[in-house]
Amino acid sequence: MQDEKCKVQNAKRGLKMAQPQAAVLLNEAAVHLGKNGIEEAVLNAQWLLADALGVERLDLLADLSLTVPATALRRFKKGMILKERGLPLAYILGWQNFRGLKIKVDSRVLVPRPETEELAGLAADYLRGLGGPLTVMDYGAGSGAIGFWLAHEFSSLKLTAVDRSAGALSNARENAAALGLSARVRFQRAASVAAIAGRFNLIVSNPPYIPTGAIAGLSPEVLSEPRVALDGGGDGLTVAKKLTADAPARLKKGGALIMELGEAQAKILLALMPDKIWKEKRLFKDFNGVKRFVFGIARGGI
Ligand SMILES: C[S@@+](CC[C@H](N)C(=O)[O-])C[C@H]1O[C@@H](n2cnc3c(N)ncnc32)[C@H](O)[C@@H]1O
C-alpha cells in the first residue's frame, strides 16, 4: 500500500521520476514551459518527447501510457532546457518540415516559415504553366527549402541557390545532398543578383525584410536566428528593392519574379516596379489575408 502511494506521488512529480509515464511527463513539461512563457507549450513538449524517444509525434500521442526510458528522459530534459532558453524547436530537433520535405536547420539558417511554404506553392503554380526544362534562382536561399522543394516537384528544374552567407550555403549544400538533389543545384555566394550568370524562368526569394529598428523587439526565439536572415535595413526593403531592380536583367523573356515580404511592404514594392519593365504585376494574399507576396512577369529584352 505504501508502495502504491509512492508510485502515485512519483507520477505526480513527472520530470523528476526515474522512468515516468509519457502522459505524466508531457503534462508536467507543458505546464513548466507555459510558466516560462514558451508559446505552444503542449506542442513543444510533445515534439521534444517524440524526438527523445525516436518516434513520430502522432505515434507517441497514440500511446501515452508508455514508460520513458532513462536515455530518452535525459535527451528530453536537455531539449527542455534549450527550449526554455528560447531556442527555436526546429534547431533543437535539427529539422523543419517544409511541404513534406525534411529540411535540416541549425543556427546557420532561418527556420522556414509556413508563409514561405505558400510562396513556394505560388512559384510552383507559375512553373506548372510553363513546361519544358526550367531554370530557377532561389535568391537568399538559406536552408534551400523553397528551391529544393521546387526541384523535388519538377524533375526538369535546374536550381541556382544564392546566398551571401557562407554558413547558409553550407547548410543548403547538406540539404541538397540529403535530398538527392545536388546534381541539379548550383550554389553561389553573392550579395547581388547582378553577380549571377545566366537567365532564369523564375527568381523566387524570401529576402530579409524586418526593418532594422524592429529587430530589438523580436522574441528571443527569432533573435537566435541569423541577423543577416532577418535585417532588411531601415525600411526592411533594402534587399528586396535591389533584387527587384536587378532581376529583369537575369530573367528570360516572360520570366517571373516572386517574393515574400512583410505586412504592408508588398504594396510598396509593387509600386516600385515600372510598367514598362514588368507586366502582370500583382499581389497575393497569405492564408491570413495579408498581402504578402509580390509577383511580376518581366516583359523581357533588357
Ligand atoms: C529570410 S532568410 C530566407 C531563407 C530561406 N529562403 C527561407 O525562406 O527559409 C533570408 C536569406 O537571405 C540571405 N541574404 C541576406 N541578404 C542577402 C543579400 N544581399 N544577397 C543574398 N542573400 C542575402 C540571408 O543570409 C538568409 O539566408
Side-chain angles (χ1 to χ4, degrees), residues 85-107:
R85 286 187 193 152
L87 217 65
L89 178 69
Y91 284 178
I92 303 171
L93 302 179
W95 60 275
Q96 173 69 31
N97 185 321
F98 189 86
R99 297 192 76 112
L101 287 189
K102 206 166 182 174
I103 300 290
K104 285 169 69 168
V105 290
D106 56 37
S107 59

Side-chain angles (χ1 to χ4, degrees), residues 142-143 148 166 168-178 182 187-189:
S143 62
F148 296 159
L169 279 179
S170 69
N171 172 274
R173 276 200 181 87
E174 290 162 20
N175 272 314
S182 303
F187 296 92
Q188 198 146 349
R189 189 172 178 201

Side-chain angles (χ1 to χ4, degrees), residues 209 211 235-237 240-241 260-272 283-286 289-294:
Y209 56 71
D235 62 355
L237 290 172
K241 282 177 183 164
E260 174 184 328
L261 290 171
E263 205 164 343
Q265 292 177 326
K267 207 173 148 195
I268 296 171
L269 202 85
L270 197 81
L272 296 175
L283 301 178
F284 288 91
K285 289 181 184 168
D286 66 17
V290 172
K291 286 179 180 158
R292 182 178 292 286
F293 308 109
V294 184

Side-chain angles (χ1 to χ4, degrees), residues 110-113 116 138-143 145-146 162-165 168 190-192 206-208 228-229 239:
L110 187 98
V111 177
R113 305 293 204 268
T116 310
D138 181 353
Y139 187 75
S143 62
I146 306 168
V162 181
D163 206 290
R164 74 176 306 161
S165 153
S192 154
N206 173 24
V228 67
V239 180

Side-chain angles (χ1 to χ4, degrees), residues 24-286:
V24 178
L25 189 62
L26 273 181
N27 192 31
E28 180 164 316
V31 171
H32 188 72
L33 289 178
K35 274 189 191 153
N36 283 283
I38 305 295
E39 282 175 21
E40 299 188 314
V42 173
L43 258 182
N44 274 296
Q46 291 173 353
W47 276 113
L48 288 173
L49 186 55
D51 179 62
L53 288 163
V55 299
E56 294 297 325
R57 188 178 68 91
L58 293 181
D59 290 337
L60 165 64
L61 296 187
D63 182 13
L64 288 174
S65 65
L66 68 87
T67 300
V68 179
T71 43
L73 185 61
R74 272 196 297 278
R75 193 174 155 88
F76 178 64
K77 283 180 177 172
K78 249 187 182 166
M80 285 284 291
I81 290 168
L82 294 173
K83 192 67 228 155
E84 274 174 60
R85 286 187 193 152
L87 217 65
L89 178 69
Y91 284 178
I92 303 171
L93 302 179
W95 60 275
Q96 173 69 31
N97 185 321
F98 189 86
R99 297 192 76 112
L101 287 189
K102 206 166 182 174
I103 300 290
K104 285 169 69 168
V105 290
D106 56 37
S107 59
R108 292 172 291 177
V109 291
L110 187 98
V111 177
R113 305 293 204 268
E115 296 87 339
T116 310
E117 293 184 293
E118 293 181 59
L119 173 72
L122 290 170
D125 291 345
Y126 170 74
L127 292 173
R128 252 175 229 120
L130 298 184
L134 299 166
T135 52
V136 173
M137 185 198 303
D138 181 353
Y139 187 75
S143 62
I146 306 168
F148 296 159
W149 179 75
L150 289 172
H152 187 260
E153 284 292 289
F154 299 90
S155 56
S156 72
L157 190 154
K158 290 223 161 68
L159 179 72
T160 299
V162 181
D163 206 290
R164 74 176 306 161
S165 153
L169 279 179
S170 69
N171 172 274
R173 276 200 181 87
E174 290 162 20
N175 272 314
L179 296 166
L181 296 170
S182 303
R184 285 195 282 135
V185 187
R186 168 169 68 125
F187 296 92
Q188 198 146 349
R189 189 172 178 201
S192 154
V193 164
I196 312 299
R199 295 246 179 190
F200 300 85
N201 295 109
L202 175 73
I203 299 176
V204 60
S205 183
N206 173 24
Y209 56 71
I210 298 172
T212 306
I215 300 272
L218 297 171
S219 69
E221 228 173 270
V222 179
L223 284 172
S224 59
E225 296 178 278
R227 172 111 188 187
V228 67
L230 304 171
D231 193 340
D235 62 355
L237 290 172
T238 304
V239 180
K241 282 177 183 164
K242 177 140 177 56
L243 169 57
T244 312
D246 291 343
R250 289 292 167 264
L251 289 173
K252 290 182 178 169
K253 190 172 168 59
L257 169 67
I258 186 160
M259 178 174 0
E260 174 184 328
L261 290 171
E263 205 164 343
Q265 292 177 326
K267 207 173 148 195
I268 296 171
L269 202 85
L270 197 81
L272 296 175
M273 294 167 72
D275 290 340
K276 67 174 195 300
I277 293 178
W278 298 96
K279 58 175 181 172
E280 290 189 41
K281 296 185 315 181
R282 59 177 293 196
L283 301 178
F284 288 91
K285 289 181 184 168
D286 66 17

